Amino acid sequence: MASAPSSTTSRIHLPDSARDLVKILVAGPFGVGKTTLIDSVSEIRPLHTEEQLTEASAQVDDLAGVREKSTTTVAIDFGRISLPGGIVLYLFGTPGQERFRSLWDDIAHGALGALVLVDSRRVDASFDVLGLVEESGLPYAVAFNAFPDAPRHHTEEQLRAALDLEADTPMVTCDAREKDSSVDALLALVQHLIDRHPPERR
């Protein structure tokens, strides 16, 4: 188990303005950029549980479209980000392979929502993860990670239809390597959660 260095300044303690602490899943298929997104936004040193891919795992993990990938998350990624308004998100990245499905219930316990990353070069790789999220009853937003060689000709309607998304499910594009872009994707999810359950007036 190893922690990767973060480009952000480590802030161990919660800010004084913290009011709402929210557990969020960052889900998606193998190699879609979950670890990268958490690295890009976390205000603390992220925790990673990555291991090297082996010849044995190559027999069960679909490497189509991610041949250059050499590691995989085997438990969770973890990070934290503070948002305006006193909202603090605890981000739990989940393994994307079917063989780690048994971890899903434990990791998802207590989560209020999920950001599902999708690779438009291999949309079908996201079906299993979307199924897990929907079976769990978690509200979610979809973020297409903008890989450099991703196709640009699909319309929003085509992508939404391909994933069979409900009309009110947020769908955005982000670059998981860029903090601002990744934060915008998380904000789309947070707004979706607020719209579903408006906060009580205090």
Side-chain angles (χ1 to χ4, degrees):
M1 187 178 295
S3 293
S6 171
S7 59
T8 60
T9 301
S10 293
R11 296 190 337 210
I12 297 174
H13 301 291
L14 281 171
D16 293 337
S17 59
R19 187 184 69 212
D20 297 308
L21 310 182
V22 182
K23 180 179 180 180
I24 295 295
L25 301 186
V26 179
F30 174 66
V32 78
K34 302 180 294 294
T35 299
T36 300
L37 185 141
I38 290 174
D39 271 352
S40 74
V41 302
S42 184
E43 65 194 13
I44 60 173
R45 185 182 178 94
L47 169 70
H48 298 310
T49 55
E50 287 204 318
E51 296 293 342
Q52 290 291 319
L53 287 171
T54 64
E55 290 185 13
S57 67
Q59 303 302 314
V60 292
D61 294 332
D62 184 2
L63 299 180
V66 288
R67 291 290 175 186
E68 71 284 358
K69 187 167 175 60
S70 60
T71 61
T72 184
T73 299
V74 295
I76 62 168
D77 294 314
F78 175 76
R80 189 189 79 202
I81 179 172
S82 300
L83 300 176
I87 298 172
V88 178
L89 303 185
Y90 289 96
L91 305 175
F92 288 76
T94 64
Q97 299 99 303
E98 177 65 24
R99 62 194 172 99
F100 294 117
R101 184 173 184 140
S102 60
L103 292 173
W104 176 265
D105 288 340
D106 289 337
I107 298 174
H109 182 73
L112 292 189
L115 180 67
V116 180
L117 288 181
V118 176
D119 183 347
S120 59
R121 302 170 301 176
R122 48 192 186 99
V123 172
D124 57 343
S126 301
F127 294 162
D128 286 345
V129 175
L130 282 168
L132 280 175
V133 174
E134 290 175 352
E135 287 171 18
S136 71
L138 286 175
Y140 64 93
V142 169
F144 281 87
N145 192 7
F147 288 92
D149 59 342
R152 309 292 179 186
H153 58 275
H154 298 306
T155 66
E156 179 178 341
E157 292 74 16
Q158 288 171 328
L159 293 172
R160 189 174 287 275
L163 294 173
D164 194 24
L165 299 181
E166 297 288 342
D168 65 342
T169 301
M171 191 180 77
V172 299
T173 299
C174 76
D175 185 335
R177 301 167 299 179
E178 300 292 335
K179 178 177 181 178
D180 289 347
S181 182
S182 297
V183 169
D184 284 345
L186 289 166
L187 286 172
L189 170 62
V190 170
Q191 186 60 56
H192 182 51
L193 298 178
I194 292 173
D195 290 344
R196 289 171 57 94
H197 302 286
E200 296 181 0
R201 292 187 177 182
R202 300 184 180 184

